[in-house]
Amino acid sequence: MKILSIDTSGQAAGLAIISAPKSETEGNGKVIAEFTLNDKINHSVTIMPLLQQMLKAVNMEIADMDYIASASGPGSFTGLRIGASIAKALAHASDKRLVPVSTLLGLAYNVLVSDKIIVPIMDAKRNQVYAAAFVKSGDKFKTLLDTTADDIINLAGIIKTYDKPAVFVGCGVFIYKNQILDAGFEIAPENCNLQRASSIGLAAVPLIKQGADVNYNEFEINYARKPQAERELGLKNGLKV
């Protein structure tokens, strides 16, 4: 089983091809190819040429894929829409099933530790982060804290209630490094903190086994909070957003 995975939820645009394992002893699969571009170029310009280059490099076509996995949020609203649009178009044209994968779960797959709480965080602007918390059990992750948008101090307080060591990972650690360290938590190595399409693909493997794949027109983005324009309108009207 082969999975084409897409992640355009952050600054980097990434694509990967994953070969799913034939047995439980092989983990979540093998990365056949991964192309990443982190150069602040609009993802709508870069992602299709990257896809063509990657497929050509491994002598494959979309028809060779069994599933298409895409980061489903949270993250950049524009980036998520670009990735979702491309994934849905490819799935529709090739009659493939789509696998929505939480961007935060993908980040958790960047970390190899198994004895700590893994806390992926992404900058959500306005002094907040998108966050979740997981613990690893074998090749799978159990969710301790569902996707949320919160300030880093409050998040650290929530993680402390689990009374277990934790490691923070994701682009948010570059902004809130001091607060995380002051709270007594670890930070993942720098090379782990960008979203990776291969992690999205690896995370998709157990999701497929659980039947979490959908038709292209059922794919939904989890923004974790409303777009800024809607939030500002709500604040203007005295609503809590």
Side-chain angles (χ1 to χ4, degrees):
M1 180 174 70
K2 292 183 176 58
I3 303 166
L4 169 67
S5 54
I6 303 169
D7 193 335
T8 58
S9 60
Q11 180 175 304
L15 294 154
I17 298 173
I18 303 298
S19 176
K22 296 180 180 179
S23 68
E24 293 292 333
T25 60
E26 296 179 11
N28 278 356
K30 178 179 72 174
V31 179
I32 295 176
E34 181 171 20
F35 278 39
T36 302
L37 187 61
N38 184 25
D39 199 30
K40 297 184 180 180
I41 302 174
N42 192 299
H43 297 334
S44 62
V45 176
T46 61
I47 201 72
M48 290 309 293
L50 277 181
L51 176 59
Q52 292 170 354
Q53 292 176 44
M54 184 176 70
L55 291 172
K56 183 178 180 180
V58 294
N59 194 28
M60 290 184 182
E61 300 177 354
I62 296 297
D64 296 318
M65 304 300 128
D66 296 288
Y67 293 91
I68 297 173
S70 182
S72 60
S76 158
F77 288 7
T78 300
L80 287 168
R81 289 174 185 138
I82 291 170
S85 296
I86 291 171
K88 291 165 77 170
L90 291 172
H92 180 41
S94 60
D95 195 26
K96 307 295 181 185
R97 298 280 287 178
L98 269 176
V99 188
V101 180
S102 161
T103 314
L104 297 168
L105 178 60
L107 281 168
Y109 271 76
N110 288 2
V111 182
L112 298 178
V113 297
S114 58
D115 59 341
K116 298 180 177 67
I117 298 172
I118 301 173
V119 187
I121 60 172
M122 299 170 61
D123 182 26
K125 309 299 183 184
R126 294 176 175 265
N127 296 314
Q128 287 192 327
V129 292
Y130 299 122
F134 305 92
V135 287
K136 192 174 182 182
S137 176
D139 295 320
K140 300 178 179 64
F141 286 85
K142 176 184 176 182
T143 302
L144 287 183
L145 176 67
D146 286 325
T147 298
T148 185
D150 205 344
D151 71 78
I152 192 68
I153 301 301
N154 192 53
L155 174 65
I158 293 172
I159 300 302
K160 280 187 176 181
T161 64
Y162 296 112
D163 195 25
K164 186 175 181 179
V167 55
F168 282 62
V169 60
C171 61
V173 303
F174 300 122
I175 299 171
Y176 297 105
K177 178 179 179 180
N178 291 338
Q179 292 92 325
I180 295 167
L181 295 177
D182 288 346
F185 299 121
E186 294 181 31
I187 289 176
E190 188 168 340
N191 63 312
C192 297
N193 290 313
L194 282 181
Q195 294 93 321
R196 295 188 60 180
S198 59
S199 293
I200 293 294
L202 292 171
V205 174
L207 293 175
I208 292 169
K209 294 177 182 178
Q210 296 165 19
D213 53 296
V214 299
N215 196 27
Y216 77 93
N217 58 0
E218 298 173 315
F219 185 96
E220 294 183 354
I221 296 172
N222 176 16
Y223 293 111
R225 69 180 186 190
K226 295 179 180 179
Q228 183 174 341
E230 291 185 27
R231 297 198 306 273
E232 290 179 350
L233 179 62
L235 290 171
K236 184 177 180 180
N237 293 330
L239 301 176
K240 184 178 180 181
V241 292

